[in-house]
Amino acid sequence: MIALDAAAPRARVAPRNQVLLALVLVAVLAAAGAGFVSAAPNRLVSGTAVTLKQCAPPLSTAALTVLGLLLLALAFAPPTRWRDYLAAGLAGGALIATLAAAGAAAAALAVGAGATTTISLGAAVWAVFACAALALIDALRRAAIGPAAQLLAAALAVATFLAMAKTGWFDALSLAREYAGRRDVFAAAAVRHVALVAGSIAPALLAGVPLGLLAHRRPRLEAPIFTTLNLVQTVPSIALFGLLIEPLSGLASTLPLLGRMGVGGVGPAPAVIALTLYGLLPIARNALAGLASVAPAALDAGRGMGMTRGQLFRRLEVPLALPVLLAGLRIVLVQTIGLAVVAALIGAGGLGTFVFDGLGQYATDLVLLGALPAIAMALAADFLLRLATGAVMRRAVP
């Protein structure tokens, strides 16, 4: 009989995907110890946390448990594309199961409750949902799926959520009640928010790109241009909104035509101006970086082919600099969507109206009614521009 060497290394099971393992463990701890939903007799009273085990139907709890165990097993599976596909599917299922469990738990708690009772999402829902979303993103990144498949996955997730909302799955949640009571106002606020962002991004592009080009063509102007833009960027948003009130009010008084056009110390005009000023620095900086990244050899080759300066700019510099410029536009777009929420303080409207109304009324769900769509809008804009940047880079690189 051969004696076993005690010093020989012991076989151990090690996780192949430590990110997935950590996300599953965090989700399990949150679901087991934190409140899944909270119930309060009215919006002015702090809610009582209720755990997943106490409020969710057994089927919902079982579904989340099975999905968690399968994802945990995949964290130890050998790295293959099919493992990543399966992890993406299970993580997507966990997202839907989390929302379904929250809706079912709220419906169960609402039975026999008063009309003023508020049922809000608890910390466990946000933690489990965030972990499932991160697991989905990690799986899609590891699987290296194409843009079309990413768009299809995003569209499927949105369609599933809308179908659940349409069938009344979330009606017992206070967030859904806040939306139901402000449905028409919400639509107008969302449109106004998009208008503020679009009205700021367009002039920021029209001014920022030429500034970056000027700094590239005239290096001695680079320091003054970016010193000025950096100075604007350091001014707090609320302060900048306030600084614009007096001059715009005076301008509207001096030129009544501008006042009739909506220009004034409060409203959309100062919001658009301030958001445009904040967008100039990232756009100009990325325009300069993109133009500076064009290889001199490519320009020399173009000159050797007889291209004029304008042709070099249109056919070489712009296409090669476009991915960097789009990266800057992603930053500006996400930043502007967030800052537009603050613009509600000066009467600009938008989704920030719900945020500040909710803060004034101590209504967390009303705050979320404004904050969550703004976050979703920013994520969607970042996702679409990231896909566009990837497509442009694939065309630029043969």
Side-chain angles (χ1 to χ4, degrees):
M1 180 179 295
I2 301 176
L4 294 177
D5 186 1
R10 296 181 180 180
R12 63 187 183 91
V13 179
R16 304 296 184 92
N17 188 339
Q18 296 181 355
V19 173
L20 181 59
L21 176 62
L23 291 173
V24 172
L25 292 179
V26 170
V28 169
L29 290 174
F36 199 71
V37 295
S38 63
N42 56 66
R43 59 163 56 171
L44 299 178
V45 180
S46 298
T48 302
V50 184
T51 64
L52 174 65
K53 184 178 180 180
Q54 293 172 329
C55 63
L59 183 60
S60 299
T61 305
L64 283 172
T65 303
V66 171
L67 289 169
L69 290 174
L70 291 175
L71 286 170
L72 183 63
L74 286 180
F76 294 88
T80 63
R81 174 164 287 192
W82 286 108
R83 181 204 68 175
D84 297 328
Y85 286 154
L86 182 57
L90 292 174
L95 286 175
I96 301 303
T98 303
L99 294 176
L109 291 175
V111 176
T116 60
T117 300
T118 62
I119 302 174
S120 305
L121 299 175
V125 172
W126 299 114
V128 174
F129 188 87
C131 290
L134 291 174
L136 175 60
I137 294 171
D138 178 70
L140 293 177
R141 182 185 61 81
R142 292 173 184 270
I145 66 173
Q150 294 183 44
L151 282 173
L152 179 61
L156 182 61
V158 172
T160 304
F161 171 77
L162 293 177
M164 294 175 69
K166 190 70 175 178
T167 56
W169 195 272
F170 310 119
D171 284 355
L173 288 168
S174 299
L175 181 59
R177 293 182 180 179
E178 296 285 1
Y179 169 75
R182 297 168 174 82
R183 190 186 304 268
D184 297 334
V185 180
F186 179 85
V191 171
R192 172 59 67 87
H193 203 91
V194 173
L196 289 173
V197 173
S200 307
I201 292 295
L205 281 172
L206 292 175
V209 173
L211 286 174
L213 177 60
L214 181 62
H216 178 67
R217 293 280 193 258
R218 301 285 188 271
R220 60 187 177 82
L221 297 178
E222 179 180 348
I225 289 174
F226 287 104
T227 299
T228 304
L229 296 181
N230 277 316
L231 182 62
V232 173
Q233 202 76 14
T234 60
V235 180
S237 58
I238 297 178
L240 185 55
F241 290 141
L243 290 172
L244 290 172
I245 292 177
E246 186 64 28
L248 289 178
S249 297
L251 188 62
S253 301
T254 305
L255 301 174
L257 178 61
L258 292 179
R260 289 193 292 270
M261 293 173 60
V263 176
V266 296
V272 169
I273 293 173
L275 294 175
T276 299
L277 292 175
Y278 279 125
L280 288 177
L281 178 62
I283 291 178
R285 179 69 70 185
N286 280 67
L288 174 61
L291 293 170
S293 68
V294 178
L299 298 176
D300 291 338
R303 294 189 190 96
M305 296 172 61
M307 288 186 180
T308 64
R309 188 170 184 175
Q311 289 174 328
L312 286 172
F313 179 72
R314 294 191 304 271
R315 298 183 183 180
L316 282 179
E317 290 184 288
V318 170
L320 293 176
L322 191 57
V324 181
L325 180 59
L326 286 176
L329 183 59
R330 281 176 59 194
I331 297 172
V332 173
L333 194 53
V334 173
Q335 169 187 283
T336 304
I337 292 172
L339 287 175
V341 173
V342 185
L345 286 173
I346 56 170
L351 295 170
T353 304
F354 302 116
V355 174
F356 294 108
D357 284 350
L359 290 174
Q361 301 175 29
Y362 301 99
T364 303
D365 292 299
L366 187 54
V367 174
L368 292 176
L369 183 62
L372 290 180
I375 294 172
M377 195 181 298
L379 291 176
D382 180 78
F383 174 71
L384 293 175
L385 276 178
R386 181 169 55 83
L387 293 184
T389 303
V392 169
M393 292 183 67
R394 284 190 294 271
R395 291 185 60 184
V397 180

